[in-house]
């Protein structure tokens, strides 16, 4: 097979937010209400696709994933030839219409992805999910006969694709980084298909957003196993805030809020790894030992969540939401500490921000390290310089933890996209004035890409 002149060039850019649990961590496991909010810390995906008149050679690279925001030793591209993509097609074709994913399939998928490249680092494990999404959303729908290798080869060898990704979200810190990646990738593939088929739309209705969300959940299951709850990908898809509560049957009931005040927060990543399953087990151990006392703690957290919801949804211009939420933040934190979720790294952060400055602070997520949430007073502006000074002062307290502070907003926008057909492979700048579409609100906005993200998402070299 010989490559000829390219006939079509496409560019798709997408972005999805991370999330933070504001109130109700751990209590939600026992049927109480919790509140989560999208963060204005986002993952960005840039998908470049070129369709050729004829197929490429079997040993030509046709599909690449690039993560330039990872540590330097992991920044090289992960590339697949036509032959390797055919292997992946043969693996995945039996599962092309499956409505769920079992452990055996996930293990098999991970193995073939690792065998097709260098051994993947922990940070790069998302490659399995991205490959899965590309095959199931792009390849299989275009094949009339999914078990016909010849038609698969023709399709796989007639496109060259590069997916570049960068994120403001730290990996493995409980801020929904993997879900933001999943949602952004699904949105990119769906948008590319719309562009190719001439079905481009500035607004996706609830059915289409629900489809995006459902496929993102499948990606989360590839990453985390069949038990993924769906909370993180829902937050990344729709944005805003939500309440969540387990029903008596064990399913998760999610109620999205139409609007809520955007509140400035500081998120501090302690850099202390934590194991969510172990922390859930630690809370269970305390509850098993003194069930009545712990149930009172969980009931109190439920009341905190209810009160916080009323404050956030009141819309009263005479109420300062930060001042109203501050005592709830502090009390929720102390209640969580009482059931075995604390850690020395968290104590350093709460002491620095709350005890010394009076800025309400609590752990967010499972605890045991991970991230900590701080609400600066409404009359305090935290710009880049002051945030840097705060981080420096916090790090001077101890060299035991690599604290990293982020300033962001609660209630961030959900998934955003923009796309176009190009006359040539040359790419426009990320920060051009082309509008991003917010699909669940019929809005368009100019999203300023952070400079560091813009730099690392420039077209990577072929080194």
């Amino acid at each position: 097979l010989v490559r000829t002149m390219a006939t079509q060039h496409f560019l798709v850019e997408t972005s999805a937010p991370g999330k933070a649990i504001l109130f109700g961590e751990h209590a939600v496991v026992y049927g109480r209400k919790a509140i989560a909010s999208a963060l204005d810390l986002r993952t960005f995906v840039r998908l470049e696709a070129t369709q050729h008149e004829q197929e490429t050679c079997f040993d030509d690279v046709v599909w690449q994933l690039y993560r330039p925001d990872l540590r330097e030793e992991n920044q090289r591209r992960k590339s697949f030839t036509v032959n390797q993509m055919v292997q992946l097609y043969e693996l995945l074709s039996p599962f092309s219409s499956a409505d769920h994913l079992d452990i055996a399939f996930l293990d098999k998928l991970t193995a073939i992805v690792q065998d097709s490249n260098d051994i993947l680092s922990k940070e790069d494990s998302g490659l399995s999910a991205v490959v899965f999404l590309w095959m199931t959303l792009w390849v299989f729908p275009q094949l009339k006969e999914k078990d016909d290798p010849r038609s698969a080869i023709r399709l796989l060898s007639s496109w060259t694709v590069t997916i570049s990704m960068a994120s403001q979200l730290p990996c493995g810190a409980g801020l929904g980084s993997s879900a933001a990646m999943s949602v952004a990738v699904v949105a990119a593939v769906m948008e590319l298909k719309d562009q190719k088929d001439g079905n481009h739309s500035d607004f996706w209705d609830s059915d289409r957003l629900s489809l995006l969300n459902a496929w993102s959940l499948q990606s989360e299951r590839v990453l985390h196993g069949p038990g993924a709850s769906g909370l993180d990908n829902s937050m990344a898809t729709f944005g805003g805030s939500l309440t969540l509560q387990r029903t008596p049957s064990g399913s998760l009931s999610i109620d999205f809020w139409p609007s809520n005040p955007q509140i400035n927060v500081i998120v501090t990543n302690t850099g202390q790894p934590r194991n969510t399953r172990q922390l859930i087990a630690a809370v269970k151990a305390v509850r098993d030992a003194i069930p009545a006392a712990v149930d009172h703690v969980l009931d109190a957290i439920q009341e905190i969540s209810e009160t916080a919801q009323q404050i956030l949804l009141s819309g009263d211009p005479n109420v300062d939401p930060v001042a109203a939420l501050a005592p709830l933040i502090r009390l929720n934190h102390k209640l969580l500490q009482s059931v075995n979720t604390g850690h020395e790294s968290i104590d350093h952060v709460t002491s620095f921000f709350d005890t010394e400055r009076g800025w309400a602070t609590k752990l967010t997520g499972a605890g045991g390290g991970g991230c900590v949430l701080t609400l600066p007073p409404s009359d305090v502006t935290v710009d880049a310089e002051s945030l840097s000074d705060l981080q420096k002062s916090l790090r001077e307290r101890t060299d035991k933890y690599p604290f990293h502070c982020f300033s962001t907003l609660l209630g961030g926008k959900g998934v955003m996209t923009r796309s176009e057909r190009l006359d040539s492979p040359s790419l426009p700048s990320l920060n051009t004035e082309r509008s991003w579409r917010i699909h669940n609100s019929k809005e368009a906005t100019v999203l300023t890409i952070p400079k560091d993200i813009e730099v690392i998402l420039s077209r990577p070299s072929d080194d």
Side-chain angles (χ1 to χ4, degrees), residues 69 114 152 164 167 175 197 222 233 235 257 319 328 393-394:
D69 59 327
Q114 290 179 339
S164 303
S167 185
L175 299 182
D197 296 341
V222 171
N233 52 275
M235 197 83 268
W257 299 355
V319 173
L328 302 178
S393 297
L394 177 58

Side-chain angles (χ1 to χ4, degrees), residues 25-32 246 278-301 335-341:
E25 298 95 330
H26 290 285
V28 73
V29 175
Y30 299 94
R32 277 69 169 186
R246 288 210 176 276
Q278 289 179 3
L279 288 158
I280 290 174
V283 174
K284 182 178 184 299
V286 179
R287 186 172 183 266
D288 289 345
I290 43 174
V294 172
D295 280 344
H296 283 306
V297 170
L298 300 176
D299 289 340
I301 293 176
L335 291 170
L336 287 169
Q337 283 187 309
S338 73
V339 290
N340 262 356
T341 63

